[in-house]
Amino acid sequence: MLTEPEMSSAHLLTPASLKKRPMAVSSPSLGHHSGPRVYIETFGCQMNEYDTELLRALLKARGFQFTSEGNEADVVLFNTCAIRENAHNRLYGHLAEFKRAKQERGIVIGVLGCMAQNLKKDLLEERPFIDVLVGPDGYRRLPDLLTDALEYDKRGLAVDLSESETYDDVVPDRAEGINGWIAVMRGCDNFCSFCVVPYTRGRERSRDPKGILEEVRRLADQGVRQITLLGQNVNSFRYEQWDFAKLLVRVADIPGIQRVRFMSPHPKDFPPALIEAVAEHPHICRHIHLPLQSGNDRILERMGRCYTQLDYLKLVEVIQRKGAITLTTDIICGFCGETEDEFQDTLKVMHAVEFQAAYVFKYSERKHTIAARKYPDDVPDQIKGQRANQLVEWQKQMSLQKNRSLIGQTVEVMVEGHSKKSSSQWMGHNEANVTVVWDQSDEPSPVGALVPVLIDDASPSTLFGHLSS
Ligand code: SAH
Ligand code: SF4
Ligand code: F3S
């Protein structure tokens, strides 16, 4: 791990280095609070949201406090994402905002997560107002690095990747609610050519199932009713005699847990036992997110996805033979060298499968990846945009058609709370994870309950209805 003393070239140390700065503890504005106040913003995927819960636990144990107001904080942390260029741009916008606060109030600024790991020292050198830079495997070092930054104006770096860190003993500090997310593994060994994740999150490692099941039991006791198990490729989950299907079933068996979801399986090695579990277990949602990325064999080969269009379609057929299992997907358009005909193959697969939802991305070249080294990013941005629009428009029609087909039917919904728009309306999700909004002005159903909603209207993203008696 490269820590401050090792990276102490002069330009990495602030002029005030080693000069003691008053700790937030002595700030009169802190009232009864005893530790420095931390504000955290999280970007990126669910895994990052989960990591923020781990970070909060690690910081809380060392006396740090939290605030939801950036302008009250002594420490501002960004848990970042590096998956596409726009994730970077968003961070730079936010950093600029807090750079001013640093000049005015002397706050400590930390950049954590995938972008910290990806850019490492470059980021610290280019942005001298960043005090602390910590990658996804270095979070245990964060409390010390922040303390050094607060007390001595020391800059700190923890960007070594680990082959074993799973934070198994850290109990995440999560917000209350009925939804719980749990990382069952970390890292990724797939090295899809477009993807930065294997570089930002390092080698794949699975957590001990005992710890995972314990975490689920604790969440169930706290009132969590829906669990989402997270991993970059859950199919590669392995721990002694355990595979992912076994883990999923054991999680779904825990009393109090009504619904279990998972993200994401890889189409190249989808195990039959996992399809069986999704089809059969009453608490496992009949919904599979199955990232396609492209429907063309040459592009799939270049992407290093290890399946063909036919493999993907055959897998979909096997899944669909098991009855009504909802499928959603991720697509990248405008990958290196993608021709119009090759793009049309993606559209063809979308027509054939009829996904419930598709997350469509324009290819964004990432430093260090195989694609960045091997292939020119030669599809003009305008063409990428046109292709993305075409997919999005088609998907919108498909989602609308699917949602409309539910009009007149009753769906089972987990109650999550009031809808954003009205206090006489409630919202939740059905098993396929589609948002459902319903009218209910009399006795409200408790949050976390499963209620029957009769659907009487639909948009591409939402089902509307009323409580069915
Ligand atoms: N591990 C997950 C993917 C996580 S990243 C999986 O394999 O399913 C989420 C999605 O971001 C990917 O499925 C892909 O569609 C998209 N993505 C990843 N890298 C990208 C890049 N360089 N440009 C555009 N989209 C990208
Ligand atoms: Fe990235 Fe592929 Fe790993 Fe998913 S499976 S995180 S797309 S390298
Ligand atoms: Fe997630 Fe973004 Fe990292 S999608 S794994 S936070 S690069």
Side-chain angles (χ1 to χ4, degrees):
M1 184 176 299
L2 190 56
T3 50
E4 167 63 22
E6 292 160 74
M7 52 166 266
S8 59
S9 50
H11 65 286
L12 287 179
L13 291 170
T14 53
S17 166
L18 302 183
K19 197 181 91 197
K20 197 168 165 65
R21 175 213 305 237
M23 280 283 276
V25 60
S26 59
S27 160
S29 66
L30 290 178
H32 66 278
H33 291 285
S34 54
R37 292 210 273 188
V38 180
Y39 169 76
I40 310 185
E41 257 184 62
T42 307
F43 302 85
C45 61
Q46 299 288 9
M47 190 72 88
N48 249 19
E49 297 284 345
Y50 181 81
D51 278 1
T52 293
E53 294 176 2
L54 293 177
L55 285 162
R56 287 176 59 96
L58 289 164
L59 290 171
K60 228 179 197 177
R62 293 283 298 276
F64 287 83
Q65 312 275 326
F66 295 94
T67 170
S68 53
E69 300 297 328
N71 57 12
E72 284 178 358
D74 308 298
V75 175
V76 172
L77 300 177
F78 297 98
N79 193 5
T80 61
C81 173
I83 201 86
R84 288 172 286 275
E85 189 59 32
N86 55 7
H88 278 222
N89 296 341
R90 277 182 65 202
L91 174 73
Y92 290 138
H94 287 255
L95 277 176
E97 206 178 294
F98 284 99
K99 187 177 160 189
R100 279 194 297 278
K102 186 176 182 76
Q103 285 153 358
E104 287 158 19
R105 300 190 290 119
I107 59 168
V108 162
I109 296 184
V111 175
L112 320 174
C114 289
M115 211 170 138
Q117 189 66 44
N118 199 29
L119 299 180
K120 302 192 186 99
K121 268 173 82 176
D122 291 354
L123 194 60
L124 219 50
E125 284 173 19
E126 280 167 21
R127 319 260 155 170
F129 54 91
I130 297 175
D131 301 285
V132 169
L133 201 68
V134 182
D137 287 345
Y139 294 149
R140 288 182 200 271
R141 296 266 297 124
L142 184 66
D144 282 341
L145 295 177
L146 290 181
T147 304
D148 282 353
L150 282 160
E151 288 205 62
Y152 304 112
D153 270 356
K154 273 174 86 173
R155 301 183 83 196
L157 184 70
V159 288
D160 266 8
L161 287 171
S162 153
E163 291 192 356
S164 57
E165 179 63 271
T166 54
Y167 300 105
D168 225 2
D169 55 318
V170 182
V171 178
D173 180 59
R174 50 181 297 278
E176 279 188 16
I178 56 154
N179 282 307
W181 286 268
I182 300 182
V184 299
M185 55 198 299
R186 299 182 72 86
C188 184
D189 285 352
N190 283 307
F191 289 91
C192 302
S193 69
F194 52 81
C195 186
V196 78
V197 172
Y199 308 88
T200 65
R201 289 189 166 261
R203 298 293 52 78
E204 204 164 79
R205 59 224 108 112
S206 300
R207 276 179 63 184
D208 182 343
K210 276 197 240 78
I212 298 168
L213 295 174
E214 222 169 84
E215 197 170 329
V216 179
R217 276 187 216 106
R218 197 170 43 238
L219 291 177
D221 287 347
Q222 290 167 6
V224 167
R225 294 291 164 259
Q226 175 168 270
I227 295 282
T228 307
L229 301 181
L230 303 171
Q232 295 300 346
N233 174 13
V234 292
N235 302 352
S236 1
F237 179 90
R238 292 283 176 287
Y239 197 95
E240 294 166 358
Q241 304 308 313
W242 292 69
D243 62 9
F244 185 68
K246 180 172 172 186
L247 176 71
L248 185 69
V249 167
R250 293 291 290 276
V251 166
D253 282 342
I254 289 178
I257 298 302
Q258 304 265 23
R259 280 182 172 177
V260 184
R261 302 181 185 277
F262 58 97
M263 266 173 60
S264 296
H266 195 301
K268 79 177 154 101
D269 54 5
F270 205 106
L274 188 53
I275 303 179
E276 213 58 46
V278 172
E280 303 299 334
H281 198 293
H283 295 163
I284 300 174
C285 289
R286 292 163 70 90
H287 166 211
I288 298 174
H289 184 67
L290 194 63
L292 167 67
Q293 312 302 1
S294 165
N296 175 268
D297 289 352
R298 188 183 75 100
I299 297 296
L300 284 169
E301 157 99 55
R302 281 192 148 199
M303 286 177 163
R305 292 289 289 179
C306 309
Y307 54 85
T308 60
Q309 181 197 86
L310 190 62
D311 296 334
Y312 188 93
L313 290 174
K314 274 188 181 159
L315 174 60
V316 167
E317 203 189 314
V318 172
I319 294 171
Q320 288 177 338
R321 239 187 277 136
K322 290 282 170 189
I325 295 176
T326 300
L327 292 172
T328 54
T329 200
D330 290 347
I331 310 271
I332 296 178
C333 47
F335 185 65
C336 312
E338 184 187 69
T339 64
E340 183 56 33
D341 281 355
E342 288 169 334
F343 164 68
Q344 288 300 327
D345 281 344
T346 301
L347 207 51
K348 259 185 231 156
V349 176
M350 289 183 75
H351 289 175
V353 179
E354 302 192 341
F355 295 105
Q356 170 67 45
Y359 301 89
V360 176
F361 307 105
K362 293 194 289 179
Y363 172 60
S364 169
E365 186 178 88
R366 311 314 297 136
K367 250 192 209 162
H368 310 307
T369 56
I370 297 164
R373 281 179 268 141
K374 259 175 103 172
Y375 312 117
D377 177 15
D378 53 2
V379 176
D381 194 57
Q382 192 206 352
I383 303 283
K384 287 180 184 170
Q386 279 169 8
R387 290 179 185 171
N389 285 342
Q390 215 175 318
L391 296 183
V392 167
E393 279 313 311
W394 194 86
Q395 184 57 50
K396 242 194 205 163
Q397 294 309 316
M398 180 45 58
S399 304
L400 182 63
Q401 187 183 317
K402 282 185 171 282
N403 288 350
R404 279 205 178 134
S405 74
L406 292 173
I407 293 176
Q409 293 192 29
T410 298
V411 298
E412 190 179 58
V413 184
M414 185 172 279
V415 182
E416 286 173 39
H418 282 295
S419 89
K420 283 183 209 128
K421 290 194 185 134
S422 152
S423 60
S424 67
Q425 281 188 324
W426 289 75
M427 70 80 65
H429 290 84
N430 69 356
E431 197 177 339
N433 214 18
V434 179
T435 307
V436 182
V437 172
W438 67 98
D439 296 319
Q440 190 178 0
S441 38
D442 54 349
E443 184 70 8
S445 312
V447 167
L450 290 170
V451 296
V453 177
L454 181 61
I455 302 303
D456 40 42
D457 200 3
S459 76
S461 60
T462 312
L463 296 164
F464 303 92
H466 58 272
L467 213 55
S468 158
S469 43

